[in-house]
Amino acid sequence: MEYEDEDRLCVTLEEFSLATENGSGMKRTGRKRSYDDDTREYKSKNLETERRRREKLSSRLLMLRSIVPIITNMNKATIVEDAITYIEKLQAKVQSLSHELHQMEATSEDTAETKTDEIDAAEDMRKWGIQEEVRVAQIDGNKLWVKIIIEKKRGRFSKLMEALNSFGIEPIDTNLTTTKGAFLITSCIQGKDGDRLAIHQTKNLLQDIINEI
Amino acid sequence: MEYEDEDRLCVTLEEFSLATENGSGMKRTGRKRSYDDDTREYKSKNLETERRRREKLSSRLLMLRSIVPIITNMNKATIVEDAITYIEKLQAKVQSLSHELHQMEATSEDTAETKTDEIDAAEDMRKWGIQEEVRVAQIDGNKLWVKIIIEKKRGRFSKLMEALNSFGIEPIDTNLTTTKGAFLITSCIQGKDGDRLAIHQTKNLLQDIINEI
DNA sequence: TTCTACACGTGACGC
DNA sequence: TGCGTCACGTGTAGA
């Protein structure tokens, strides 16, 4: 006789535990298949497959619930619902942040007009024979004098100041003059806490900054 | 193992139809079926409820799939899986953007030393009798002369320049002097494309900017 | 055919 | 008690 042990096993696993828990006794279905006699208990072939599928889905839902911070209910449907709202919130936040960041970066972006301005600026500089220039000299123990001549671009001065600040360089006295398609910037700078600034390193830093803005 | 074979747990579709057909499909119910005679066929009271529940879950899963951009498969499990990865991606992106933005804003952040510097600056200003001041005057048709005296804070000048640029105000000639805990800024400004700047509005704008930086 | 994914109706369990 | 949710095994449709 074929006692379907594996059949009983796979089916019973939870039922058995449940039965053992509540002591309600084993209850099992007789198979009512087209070929079915009273003693015959057989299962469909996809029983295990279906069980795996269910388990998989449940597991994924559990994972989903685990990464969604706000949970209103433990229901499967509500898990998905919360995930949906959370995704929407995340999307909105990403868009907002991205927009904000873009706005922040675009405070001195190049527009088409700016482009033409730049062309005009470069042309002006060439016409007037103005060369870009970065000079750094020592004033006293912890102050440097800086002279910068660069092509005029919109927002470039702002970016330069920002970069200086980010590198811990504090402008004490600064002068900007715009003329003939060029920025002439002279500044007296010092370190963040009065630290001494090395001349050559500062000059290189300035040139790096200028090349990037 | 004691399993009652006579107990019928699974009364499925075909049994149902069978029962409706001939009425003899039901064999007998030993224990679970409290109310079940041979001729009656309906039993599941929660049939419609369960159907709604399933429909709800399926619908939510469909919605979830609709808002997740990358879909590898149409399976329910894969839908949830893709949603999970998408959420993780979104979370990472939010964190990255937030960090980047914070970094960008923190280029001129207040540290403890800065705080004391600010205190010293305010104290200095009070000691020397320097008042904050914003003055705007007309130079010619499209240029304004601006004089600003504000408390010295790290990065404040940079922020001011940035704000001006973001509002389409172009500094032509600018002078910054740091003394006695204060920034003295004088600047000749004009509109982005040579547009005329209204005096009062510009002054209000400047004061708003200063209050925020 | 077999394989895969799904919807179905049902009993069990918790509140 | 009833209502809501779940896992179960099965039939079935598409590839």
Side-chain angles (χ1 to χ4, degrees):
Chain A
M1 276 307 186
E2 68 279 18
Y3 262 129
E4 291 78 14
D5 283 322
E6 76 287 342
D7 173 20
R8 297 292 313 156
L9 224 161
C10 63
V11 172
T12 345
L13 251 144
E14 282 141 327
E15 280 188 355
F16 182 57
S17 58
L18 277 172
T20 47
E21 273 178 6
N22 53 22
S24 71
M26 185 72 67
K27 35 200 157 340
R28 185 63 188 94
T29 166
R31 186 60 38 241
K32 193 62 172 178
R33 231 10 254 138
S34 52
Y35 39 90
D36 177 58
D37 49 334
D38 302 341
T39 64
R40 186 65 173 212
E41 291 188 11
Y42 227 22
K43 60 170 189 286
S44 62
K45 318 188 65 160
N46 58 343
L47 197 152
E48 284 240 17
T49 314
E50 176 65 14
R51 178 166 302 181
R52 269 198 300 265
R53 170 184 165 269
R54 265 189 308 240
E55 188 182 353
K56 198 163 151 190
L57 179 58
S58 296
S59 146
R60 308 295 165 149
L61 280 176
L62 217 67
M63 291 175 56
L64 182 63
R65 192 194 56 165
S66 72
I67 68 165
V68 172
I70 159 177
I71 311 162
T72 62
N73 209 344
M74 294 268 284
N75 303 338
K76 286 185 170 183
T78 13
I79 289 173
V80 184
E81 197 174 351
D82 293 340
I84 290 175
T85 62
Y86 182 55
I87 284 183
E88 286 172 347
K89 220 163 82 177
L90 277 181
Q91 283 177 337
K93 191 158 190 171
V94 163
Q95 191 154 0
S96 161
L97 280 178
S98 163
H99 180 69
E100 198 172 343
L101 194 62
H102 191 266
Q103 186 96 356
M104 212 163 190
E105 282 179 348
T107 48
S108 54
E109 69 179 353
D110 292 353
T111 62
E113 326 159 316
T114 317
K115 194 77 177 182
T116 61
D117 281 359
E118 288 175 18
I119 294 176
D120 292 342
E123 207 167 339
D124 264 16
M125 284 183 68
R126 203 179 56 248
K127 188 170 69 180
W128 290 89
I130 299 178
Q131 297 288 331
E132 294 211 336
E133 181 182 358
V134 174
R135 291 184 64 183
V136 179
Q138 191 100 25
I139 291 186
D140 61 11
N142 54 359
K143 286 195 188 66
L144 294 185
W145 171 86
V146 174
K147 172 188 176 185
I148 297 173
I149 298 179
I150 50 176
E151 181 184 328
K152 177 189 176 190
K153 292 179 188 172
R154 183 150 300 146
R156 208 175 184 189
F157 179 59
S158 164
K159 279 191 175 180
L160 176 62
M161 290 298 109
E162 191 183 343
L164 287 181
N165 183 63
S166 75
F167 281 110
I169 298 177
E170 199 170 348
I172 305 299
D173 293 87
T174 298
N175 195 289
L176 162 70
T177 301
T178 307
T179 180
K180 299 181 177 61
F183 279 151
L184 166 60
I185 302 165
T186 55
S187 182
C188 170
I189 62 176
Q190 71 177 14
K192 193 182 289 183
D193 302 311
D195 294 341
R196 188 176 180 278
L197 294 174
I199 295 186
H200 291 91
Q201 284 84 333
T202 305
K203 182 174 179 180
N204 289 335
L205 177 62
L206 286 173
Q207 277 171 330
D208 288 344
I209 292 173
I210 288 168
N211 286 334
E212 284 181 0
I213 62 178
Chain B
M1 287 273 186
E2 73 293 2
Y3 49 90
E4 295 83 11
D5 206 359
E6 83 284 351
D7 183 11
R8 302 199 24 79
L9 189 93
C10 275
V11 180
T12 50
L13 197 85
E14 56 95 7
E15 285 183 313
F16 178 78
S17 58
L18 225 90
T20 47
E21 274 176 6
N22 49 23
S24 67
M26 287 299 185
K27 306 182 135 181
R28 53 192 286 271
T29 66
R31 30 203 315 277
K32 281 311 162 189
R33 292 310 173 69
S34 49
Y35 38 92
D36 183 305
D37 52 331
D38 303 340
T39 64
R40 276 337 283 166
E41 56 269 13
Y42 302 142
K43 237 164 279 50
S44 66
K45 299 167 298 214
N46 59 344
L47 198 152
E48 280 280 338
T49 314
E50 176 66 13
R51 181 170 299 178
R52 267 198 300 263
R53 171 185 164 268
R54 261 183 313 222
E55 189 183 353
K56 197 163 149 190
L57 179 59
S58 295
S59 145
R60 308 292 164 150
L61 280 175
L62 217 66
M63 290 176 56
L64 182 64
R65 192 194 56 165
S66 73
I67 69 165
V68 171
I70 160 174
I71 312 162
T72 63
N73 209 345
M74 293 269 283
N75 302 338
K76 286 185 169 182
T78 18
I79 289 174
V80 183
E81 197 175 350
D82 293 341
I84 290 174
T85 62
Y86 182 54
I87 285 183
E88 285 172 347
K89 221 164 83 177
L90 278 182
Q91 284 176 335
K93 191 157 190 172
V94 164
Q95 191 155 0
S96 159
L97 280 178
S98 166
H99 179 70
E100 197 172 344
L101 194 62
H102 191 266
Q103 186 98 355
M104 212 162 189
E105 283 178 347
T107 48
S108 55
E109 66 183 354
D110 290 354
T111 62
E113 327 159 313
T114 317
K115 194 77 179 182
T116 62
D117 281 358
E118 288 175 17
I119 294 176
D120 292 341
E123 207 169 336
D124 263 16
M125 284 182 69
R126 202 179 58 248
K127 188 171 67 179
W128 290 91
I130 300 178
Q131 298 288 330
E132 295 212 335
E133 182 181 357
V134 174
R135 292 185 62 184
V136 179
Q138 192 101 25
I139 292 185
D140 62 12
N142 54 358
K143 287 195 187 65
L144 294 184
W145 171 87
V146 173
K147 172 187 175 185
I148 297 174
I149 298 179
I150 50 176
E151 183 183 328
K152 177 189 174 189
K153 291 180 190 171
R154 183 149 302 144
R156 207 175 184 189
F157 178 59
S158 162
K159 279 191 176 179
L160 176 63
M161 291 297 109
E162 191 184 342
L164 288 181
N165 184 63
S166 76
F167 282 108
I169 297 177
E170 199 170 348
I172 304 299
D173 293 87
T174 298
N175 195 290
L176 162 70
T177 300
T178 308
T179 180
K180 298 179 178 60
F183 279 151
L184 166 60
I185 302 165
T186 55
S187 182
C188 170
I189 61 175
Q190 70 176 14
K192 193 183 289 184
D193 302 312
D195 293 342
R196 189 176 180 277
L197 295 174
I199 296 185
H200 291 92
Q201 284 84 333
T202 304
K203 183 175 179 180
N204 290 335
L205 177 62
L206 286 173
Q207 277 171 329
D208 289 344
I209 292 173
I210 288 168
N211 286 334
E212 285 182 0
I213 60 178

